[in-house]
Amino acid sequence: MVASRSTGGSSYLAMRRFHFWTGVVSALVVALLTITGILLGHSQELGLDKRFVTSSFLLDWYGVRAPERFNRFTSGAANLVDTGNMVLLNGRALEAVSDRVTGAVKTADMLVVSSDGQLGFFTDQGELIEKVQVHNVSRIGLNSKGLLVVEQAAGVRGYDLNAFAWADLDKDADLAGVIWSEPERIAADQAPEALRLSLQNRVSLERFLQELHSGRIFGPVGVWVVDLTAIVLLVQILSGLLLWNTLKNR
Amino acid sequence: MKSVSKAKIGLWLIFAFSFLPLACHAVVYLQEDAFVSNSLGQSPEDAKRIWLRGTLKDQVAEILGHPYPALRLKYWQDESRSLWILEEIGKERPITLGVLVGPAGVEQTKILVYRESRGGEVRFPSFLQQFESSQLTPDNELDRSIDGVSGATLSVRAVKRLVRMALFLHSQLGAATSNHGGK
């Protein structure tokens, strides 16, 4: 009798210690999950997807940094600035261009912007007309006949801007007198509006909270910690029930 | 003891290196030219164009929840099928999706370019096959439920919107087409 009571008592104490310490260890993560979970549950009402992180520490964590120099392309009335993470045309974001800009050419009725993965054709107001997938464009230019000349790693091609189709290129005739689009490297403070826009609205509060909630903000280990906490909570349900049952039967 | 110390150092190194900032990258799974050629046997130069304006523009905006960010779209067409290459933002970056639509609905979908840092599982056939033979209901919804992919909710929603858009545009061919360019 004495032996069974002491065995039951020591098991109870061990269970109680286990329950206590797992609770203590997981408390911070549980609190974080609770708060972020409640906020995310009301994300739309709170407009969290339309509100953005402004903390420079957090923006640094996400790799959002103020660039020191920009590439500027000028062609006719078009002034295009590539900040490295954003492209602006005459001060307005050109959202259809998400890769590094390699050239910008203004014709009578459109603006052609080349980037690493595409040729984009835009109206004067920056509306995208359409785009063509094309790779490794190092630069573009216009020849005297209005043919768009596209230089890629594999060679030079011609693009007919009237037919919106690739055109045969006579290297001797068509490449003579090509005016190539070249970037001008400028200090970021020479384009203050571009600098300001390139830093804002990059990480929404919703995204930040989602990644905090899942633990992803801390990388794979963060996810494992959240998963482990969830398992601990499940185990605590069992240990809590056992403790309650033991007390009830005493 | 030494092996225990080494193990501890190893664990700390793994712990330290796992705290990495999130990175985004574009992965091209299939070139547009290849998708057009493999799916329809046509070349990119055979593309036709359709202008997004008027009610067509409004209805596409209703399907996507926002205006499509281009004034016109390229598409390819044979006697009974049409092929669309469309883009939609998943979480923050655009997903490029190719959709082949035939008389019985969607025949093929392919993720051509994926630019998000997570959620790329939407490219797997196990997800995309769900769209085969799907059609639109009278209110421009898909005629079936599509199982999502854990951790890729926003990408899944983007793909669903694009498939609906492709089906809708296919149904509109003949009413608002404009043949421009190509051969």
Side-chain angles (χ1 to χ4, degrees), chain B residues 28-88:
Chain B
V28 180
Y29 292 110
L30 187 62
Q31 301 283 352
E32 285 183 9
D33 300 359
F35 182 64
V36 172
S37 167
N38 296 344
S39 303
L40 214 53
Q42 294 187 9
S43 81
E45 280 72 38
D46 296 325
K48 299 179 181 179
R49 269 112 177 141
I50 184 169
W51 286 90
L52 293 177
R53 50 189 170 205
T55 51
L56 188 69
K57 180 180 172 183
D58 294 338
Q59 286 171 309
V60 165
E62 201 173 307
I63 289 170
L64 295 180
H66 59 83
Y68 190 80
L71 296 179
R72 72 180 184 208
L73 292 169
K74 282 189 303 190
Y75 68 99
W76 293 260
Q77 190 182 24
D78 65 13
E79 297 80 29
S80 58
R81 300 178 300 170
S82 64
L83 186 150
W84 306 86
I85 294 177
L86 306 170
E87 284 190 354
E88 173 71 333

Side-chain angles (χ1 to χ4, degrees), chain A residues 14-31 227-245:
Chain A
M15 181 70 68
R16 209 171 99 166
R17 265 198 297 274
F18 172 81
H19 188 84
F20 174 78
W21 284 110
T22 51
V24 166
V25 164
S26 62
L28 183 63
V29 178
V30 170
D227 288 348
L228 204 58
T229 304
I231 294 168
V232 162
L233 287 175
L234 280 174
V235 169
Q236 281 210 313
I237 293 172
L238 286 172
S239 59
L241 282 170
L242 282 170
L243 285 171
W244 169 78
N245 191 55

Side-chain angles (χ1 to χ4, degrees), chain A residues 60-63 65 96 98-99 118 123 127-133 135 157 159 162-166 202-204 206-207 210-211 216-222 225, chain B residues 14-15 18-22 24 26 28 30-33 45 49 51 57 69-74 87 91-94 96 112-113 115 117-118 151 154 180-182:
Chain A
D60 269 352
W61 183 263
Y62 277 97
R65 292 187 178 87
S98 54
D99 294 323
Q118 68 181 39
T123 65
E127 290 176 291
L128 177 68
I129 301 170
E130 69 175 59
K131 50 186 173 180
V132 174
Q133 187 188 55
H135 296 285
R157 302 168 75 182
Y159 195 88
N162 293 317
F164 278 89
W166 293 103
R202 298 296 307 284
V203 180
S204 69
E206 185 185 55
R207 176 186 167 186
Q210 281 169 341
E211 283 167 357
R216 281 200 194 103
I217 197 169
F218 300 112
V221 166
V225 167
Chain B
I14 291 169
F15 182 81
S18 65
F19 276 60
L20 295 173
L22 305 159
C24 289
V28 180
L30 187 62
Q31 301 283 352
E32 285 183 9
D33 300 359
E45 280 72 38
R49 269 112 177 141
W51 286 90
K57 180 180 172 183
L71 296 179
R72 72 180 184 208
L73 292 169
K74 282 189 303 190
E87 284 190 354
K91 194 170 184 180
E92 290 167 342
R93 307 292 301 277
T96 305
L112 304 183
V113 186
R115 300 173 181 85
S117 57
R118 281 182 297 277
L154 296 178
H180 179 79

